[in-house]
Amino acid sequence: MGFPQPVDTTEAPRPGAPLLAGTLLTTSGLVDLLSSWATTTGDPFVVQTSRGMYLVDITGWAWLHVAIGAAVTLAGLAAATGRRGTTSVALGCAVLGAAIDLLLFPYAPVRALLVVGLDAAVMRLLLRHRRTGRATGGFSGPRRSGPSSPDPPPWSPTRSG
């Protein structure tokens, strides 16, 4: 009767790149970028109240939205690579993009609902990706045994198996 073969637990499986989250975030950023670019060249909005009609010019907000849309697009492309740290940046950009879209909801409600829905899906996917990365040992690659954690000798009672 022999001893069972030891299982190699030094290398944890690494989660793949969050391709779906990166693609959705890139799409969300492009929708924001292109629609906001069109808003910068358009006429001001007319708001009718009980006191009269007012012209509301949101060109400054539109230019800010163009910049954030470009940042979200780049973050989505970076997240699709799966490199370390890109999920945190992409998550932050998704939250920022959703917040800006909620602020501009009265001026473009259909676009805002579409982009906030995409950003919410991206946030869920990225948070799930981060959680599975931590559960499988992180993104640092294989663990190495060093002088601080030597393997016990085969005859040791603390050795499993």
Side-chain angles (χ1 to χ4, degrees):
M1 224 192 218
F3 290 106
Q5 293 295 325
V7 178
D8 183 20
T9 60
T10 58
E11 188 171 328
R14 186 173 175 195
L19 291 177
L20 181 60
T23 304
L24 290 176
L25 192 61
T26 302
T27 303
S28 165
L30 284 175
V31 167
D32 269 347
L33 179 71
L34 295 175
S35 62
S36 297
W37 182 267
T39 305
T40 61
T41 61
D43 294 329
F45 289 92
V46 177
V47 177
Q48 183 178 359
T49 65
S50 62
R51 295 183 180 217
M53 295 175 65
Y54 297 100
L55 291 175
V56 178
D57 189 16
I58 61 166
T59 306
W61 283 102
W63 280 111
L64 177 68
H65 210 149
V66 166
I68 291 173
V72 168
T73 302
L74 292 176
L77 292 172
T81 63
R83 291 185 174 222
R84 174 185 267 191
T86 57
T87 55
S88 299
V89 171
L91 189 61
C93 284
V95 169
L96 183 64
I100 290 294
D101 273 309
L102 287 176
L103 283 175
L104 294 176
F105 179 77
Y107 303 105
V110 174
R111 179 194 69 192
L113 286 177
L114 173 75
V115 172
V116 168
L118 285 173
D119 287 340
V122 166
M123 287 183 244
R124 181 169 186 226
L125 288 168
L126 289 175
L127 287 172
R128 179 178 289 173
H129 183 269
R130 287 176 73 188
R131 184 178 44 209
T132 58
R134 286 190 187 130
T136 59
F139 302 107
S140 60
R143 295 180 295 179
R144 289 175 235 148
S145 62
S148 62
S149 62
D151 291 333
W155 62 85
S156 173
T158 59
R159 187 175 181 109
S160 61

